[in-house]
């Protein structure tokens, strides 16, 4: 049951990313960078980049959701950048999956 929920969350998140990219007129060479973040890191990214799409996730499924979203985005586009150091990032302080475009500063 949990796998179905995580898969559904990943589909909804990728749908939101695609809509946001269309709304803000992303070019072919622009893509999303994915990151796992704490609440403070998410706020810092929101102050630095625009647009940003974030979602709060239970720490138990955060890494799995990250992997699913990454796979779905890579299937659609090959220039997606992803940052995940599972050893350092997979702790209970990480609550958010954050996507931002590093070329679009606020």
């Amino acid at each position: 049951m949990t796998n179905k929920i995580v898969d559904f969350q990943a589909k909804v998140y990728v749908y939101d990313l695609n809509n946001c990219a269309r709304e803000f007129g992303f070019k072919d060479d622009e893509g999303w960078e994915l990151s796992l973040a704490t609440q403070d890191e998410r706020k810092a990214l929101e102050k630095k980049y625009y647009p940003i799409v974030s979602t709060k996730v239970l720490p138990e499924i955060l890494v799995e959701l990250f992997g699913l979203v990454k796979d779905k985005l890579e299937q659609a586009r090959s220039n997606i950048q992803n940052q995940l150091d599972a050893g350092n990032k997979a702790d209970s302080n990480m609550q958010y999956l954050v996507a931002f475009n590093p070329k679009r500063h606020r």
Side-chain angles (χ1 to χ4, degrees):
M1 186 67 168
T2 304
N3 289 339
K4 289 181 181 180
I5 293 170
V6 174
D7 190 48
F8 179 74
Q9 279 186 308
K11 287 179 184 178
V12 169
Y13 192 73
V14 170
Y15 180 80
D16 289 342
L17 290 176
N18 289 333
N19 280 343
C20 188
R22 271 188 236 110
E23 182 180 335
F24 286 93
F26 279 26
K27 297 177 181 148
D28 290 337
D29 65 338
E30 292 181 306
W32 294 104
E33 184 170 318
L34 296 176
S35 182
L36 301 179
T38 63
Q39 184 173 356
D40 293 336
E41 291 170 343
R42 179 186 60 90
K43 287 180 182 179
L45 288 170
E46 285 178 346
K47 289 180 181 179
K48 188 173 182 182
Y49 300 104
Y50 187 80
I52 187 169
V53 179
S54 65
T55 186
K56 188 171 183 176
V57 182
L58 293 173
E60 301 86 42
I61 62 172
L62 188 59
V63 173
E64 183 180 356
L65 181 64
F66 179 92
L68 286 172
V69 170
K70 176 183 162 190
D71 290 343
K72 290 179 186 304
L73 286 176
E74 285 178 351
Q75 289 172 2
R77 185 175 271 168
S78 62
N79 64 345
I80 306 288
Q81 298 176 7
N82 299 287
Q83 292 183 338
L84 173 64
D85 182 357
N88 294 335
K89 296 276 188 175
D91 63 25
S92 61
N93 293 330
M94 297 296 163
Q95 298 175 359
Y96 293 92
L97 176 60
V98 181
F100 60 93
N101 185 326
K103 295 181 181 180
R104 295 189 177 222
H105 292 274
R106 191 174 271 278

